[in-house]
Amino acid sequence: MRYSGLKVITEGLFGNKGWRPAWRNPEPKAEYDAIIIGGGGHGLSTAYYLARNHGMRNIAVLEKGYLGGGNVGRNTTIVRANYFLPGNSEFYSHSLKLWEGLEAELNYNVMHSQRGLINLFHSDGQRDAFARRGNSMVNQGDDAILLDRDGVRELLPYLDFEQTRFPIYGGLLHPRGGTARHDAVAWGYARGADRRGVDLIQNCEVTGIDIENGRVTGVQTTRGAIRARKVGILVAGRSGQVAAMAGMRLPIESHVLQAFVTEGLKPVIDHVISFGMGHFYISQSDKGGLVFGGDIDFYASYASRGNLPMVEHVMEAGMTLMPMIGRAKVLRSWGGIMDMTPDGSPIIDKTDIDGLFIDCGWNYGGFKAVPASGWCMAHLMATGESHAVARRFRLNRFLTGHLLDEEGTGSQHNLH
Amino acid sequence: MRIPCPLCGPRDRREFYYYGADDYLRRPEEGAPPEAWDAYLHLRDNPAGVTRDLWHHEMGCSAWLVVTRNTVTHEVISVRLASEKEAAK
Ligand SMILES: Cc1cc2nc3c(=O)[nH]c(=O)nc-3n(C[C@H](O)[C@H](O)[C@H](O)COP(=O)(O)OP(=O)(O)OC[C@H]3O[C@@H](n4cnc5c(N)ncnc54)[C@H](O)[C@@H]3O)c2cc1C
Ligand SMILES: [Zn+2]
């Protein structure tokens, strides 16, 4: 069924009786050409592009819970291409271009809103660093505008420009940055994959990976054994456990990242804004809630809820930057389990086991990556070669020293 | 989360700096191959359940602690001084 404005109107006129489920609910088959472990954003987009770009049809996505129930449905939905390092820059640039065509591509409203992202800076040093980042974004073909204090004041008059502890010097505006509806991205890819014949199998937890003579032959699941010559692991915060089923240890530690949302308010914050002192960022959802967050909780954790010190820090930073939000009521807070790598950059690579591939290490930034990660992982699984824009996301880069330390803080698990 | 420091008693999480898994206590010998250093610095078991990691009582006695705790429930099971653990080996 194609979705369209006309369809909405005609369905409205005839009692909305014509809508059908957006995807099938098939039983797992005994064998597939490729198995994708994990029905989050990355798993679903990989399955979609395996079918769309590489003509594969006999594919299953195995999800232990329900589609989109992981981080893809828990994030703060920021989509941007403001990376600096070669390796990251071309990848996120590619991803943003895919985002810009995604709704037409999927025939699904993912509510991609390029409302502009503003990273504030608060010192001469920070300004220099952002100016340099902006130049590298422009060189990559993306957009960046360096705003001075008055430029920021014009766009964001409600910030506290008077406080002296962290004076606002200006901001780097990335006009094509913005947000999207997170669930819709998962649903859109799920529907697109299903329509191309991919079996989306929910409530199916992978409990073992079968390997014979150094080659993957299939997986064990809570719904029985399933054979496949190609298996991709895309389980975000659970990467360590699933990789262990294949005898691997990963350069990953799982940490909790929290987010918060207020009651719905009239439109008040038009952009995505990040505070350069203390970690805080905010946008307003289409429902009106202020959606905001900060840093990870900074210790290894699988609890899908956060700690109080970080709640406090985020609230303090928010009040410092924009005191006007102090009267909004926080409705909910939640946490997601992040797959943190030592250098803060992801991995899309083969493993030492033939036919077994892994896509992980998205840290707190994997939502914007959903289209390009699926695109590149599908390329890798279908052709055996890394895609040009993902060729530096190597699994062994910590061994070889080819780090991608975007923040420049060092390569250690507790730093990013 | 509160961590019972053996020297200071139970203290708020805010007083501590988290360093990472206790793999850091098993430093390879000089001249060990790069793989050993990679395992020491980067590769982790990353368990969902009981883990052992290193914390620094930064805003307290400044001791390095080995904390055995559960990453799912945040229960702290036991804490000892890193120096003691090394001596016990
Ligand atoms: C609070 C918060 C805010 C964030 N904000 C942003 C942001 O603003 N911008 C941005 O770009 N990124 C953001 N992120 C990061 C982003 O959400 C993640 O990097 C990304 O969603 C991870 O990839 P995924 O969608 O595939 O993960 P998930 O949706 O977590 O998918 C993994 C799936 O694997 C399944 N799984 C696990 N183990 C098994 C198994 N054994 N068998 C079968 N299935 C299994 C899980 O159930 C899950 O559904 C944020 C994350 C959080 C938590
Ligand atoms: Zn102490």
Side-chain angles (χ1 to χ4, degrees):
Chain A
M1 178 192 299
R2 253 197 88 74
Y3 296 153
S4 66
L6 185 65
K7 180 81 187 151
V8 172
I9 293 168
T10 46
E11 281 300 325
L13 288 176
F14 298 103
N16 285 306
K17 293 195 183 97
W19 300 113
R20 295 281 165 268
W23 51 80
R24 297 165 296 129
N25 203 4
E27 286 299 312
K29 290 191 252 176
E31 179 160 9
Y32 290 93
D33 294 338
I35 284 176
I36 302 297
I37 309 176
H42 294 248
L44 292 167
S45 65
T46 299
Y48 176 80
Y49 290 118
L50 274 173
R52 178 199 185 271
N53 293 352
H54 304 283
M56 291 178 68
R57 289 290 184 274
N58 192 26
I59 305 168
V61 176
L62 308 182
E63 165 55 46
K64 76 170 177 184
Y66 60 93
L67 296 177
N71 288 332
V72 73
R74 290 167 182 263
N75 63 77
T76 44
T77 79
I78 299 170
V79 173
R80 57 188 166 91
N82 60 350
Y83 283 70
F84 175 71
L85 290 180
N88 282 333
S89 180
E90 62 266 36
F91 175 83
Y92 290 101
S93 180
H94 182 59
S95 206
L96 185 54
K97 289 182 197 113
L98 292 174
W99 274 105
E100 287 169 337
L102 199 58
E103 293 171 343
E105 167 74 27
L106 296 177
N107 176 230
Y108 206 92
N109 184 6
V110 302
M111 297 163 81
H112 183 215
S113 156
Q114 295 182 291
R115 56 187 67 183
L117 167 81
I118 300 167
N119 295 124
L120 299 170
F121 48 78
H122 311 267
S123 67
D124 290 335
Q126 265 194 336
R127 174 174 45 223
D128 293 350
F130 272 117
R132 188 163 175 238
R133 176 174 296 268
N135 287 338
S136 104
M137 290 158 66
V138 170
N139 286 341
Q140 182 59 51
D142 295 318
D143 59 344
I145 300 168
L146 199 67
L147 301 174
D148 61 11
R149 188 181 155 91
D150 288 339
V152 172
R153 199 193 277 267
E154 210 167 291
L155 293 177
L156 314 174
Y158 47 81
L159 300 184
D160 185 355
F161 290 89
E162 308 310 322
Q163 58 101 0
T164 52
R165 181 68 185 86
F166 303 116
I168 294 165
Y169 276 44
L172 185 66
L173 169 64
H174 172 34
R176 283 164 66 223
T179 60
R181 170 80 198 276
H182 46 13
D183 302 308
V185 176
W187 298 333
Y189 274 117
R191 173 169 167 270
D194 175 86
R195 292 170 83 185
R196 286 177 162 77
V198 174
D199 280 359
L200 306 173
I201 299 167
Q202 306 184 61
N203 297 313
C204 180
E205 179 171 357
V206 171
T207 53
I209 296 179
D210 299 331
I211 298 161
E212 278 168 33
N213 302 322
R215 167 155 246 311
V216 74
T217 57
V219 296
Q220 300 292 324
T221 80
T222 48
R223 296 177 67 175
I226 308 176
R227 290 192 306 279
R229 305 277 292 170
K230 289 184 179 181
V231 175
I233 302 174
L234 299 97
V235 293
R238 293 281 167 178
S239 296
Q241 275 91 59
V242 177
M245 295 172 196
M248 296 163 59
R249 287 178 97 214
L250 297 178
I252 286 188
E253 199 173 87
S254 294
H255 286 245
V256 166
L257 177 68
Q258 305 190 56
F260 310 85
V261 66
T262 69
E263 60 195 324
L265 304 168
K266 286 185 180 174
V268 54
I269 294 176
D270 300 329
H271 307 82
V272 181
I273 305 163
S274 82
F275 184 31
M277 299 304 297
H279 209 97
F280 174 81
Y281 62 93
I282 188 164
S283 67
Q284 187 167 16
S285 79
D286 291 334
K287 272 195 291 186
L290 304 180
V291 179
F292 57 99
D295 239 323
I296 56 172
D297 281 7
F298 279 117
Y299 51 88
S301 173
Y302 284 88
S304 299
R305 61 184 152 74
N307 70 22
L308 226 40
M310 196 47 74
V311 177
E312 207 172 64
H313 174 82
V314 169
M315 302 297 162
E316 282 170 2
M319 286 302 290
T320 305
L321 182 65
M322 43 176 84
M324 72 168 183
I325 64 174
R327 291 170 68 183
K329 294 187 187 72
V330 174
L331 277 192
R332 279 179 293 124
S333 71
W334 63 93
I337 302 163
M338 322 298 339
D339 35 338
M340 306 297 294
T341 55
D343 64 359
S345 293
I347 292 161
I348 303 179
D349 208 350
K350 302 178 194 177
T351 67
D352 289 339
I353 296 149
D354 276 348
L356 185 66
F357 303 86
I358 190 156
D359 175 311
C360 64
W362 292 100
N363 296 273
Y364 31 72
F367 178 65
K368 70 181 90 67
V370 162
S373 167
W375 186 282
C376 295
M377 182 67 166
H379 182 94
L380 176 68
M381 287 183 70
T383 68
E385 302 292 330
S386 287
H387 189 278
V389 301
R391 71 190 190 291
R392 298 202 199 203
F393 295 160
R394 308 310 299 266
L395 180 57
N396 70 350
R397 69 174 178 271
F398 303 96
L399 176 63
T400 61
H402 295 85
L403 303 175
L404 281 168
D405 179 6
E406 183 78 24
E407 288 178 350
T409 46
S411 179
Q412 208 170 290
H413 283 290
N414 62 345
L415 293 178
H416 295 275
Chain B
M1 189 162 86
R2 286 177 141 210
I3 298 176
C5 172
L7 301 178
C8 313
R11 294 302 179 106
D12 191 273
R13 178 264 177 274
R14 289 171 181 81
E15 294 187 8
F16 298 86
Y17 168 75
Y18 169 79
Y19 191 62
D22 78 338
D23 297 61
Y24 285 127
L25 291 177
R26 294 181 286 276
R27 190 183 168 90
E29 297 295 315
E30 205 184 315
E35 287 74 13
W37 290 100
D38 186 36
Y40 165 67
L41 289 169
H42 306 122
L43 304 183
R44 294 294 175 255
D45 289 341
N46 195 21
V50 176
T51 192
R52 196 170 297 147
D53 41 29
L54 298 181
W55 297 70
H56 181 213
H57 198 184
E58 199 176 27
M59 292 197 260
C61 62
S62 198
W64 279 95
L65 308 178
V66 181
V67 179
T68 306
R69 61 184 185 92
N70 189 313
T71 57
V72 178
T73 61
H74 289 174
E75 178 199 2
V76 176
I77 298 161
S78 69
V79 182
R80 52 182 153 176
L81 297 175
S83 52
E84 266 172 21
K85 183 164 189 275
E86 283 301 273
K89 265 210 287 197

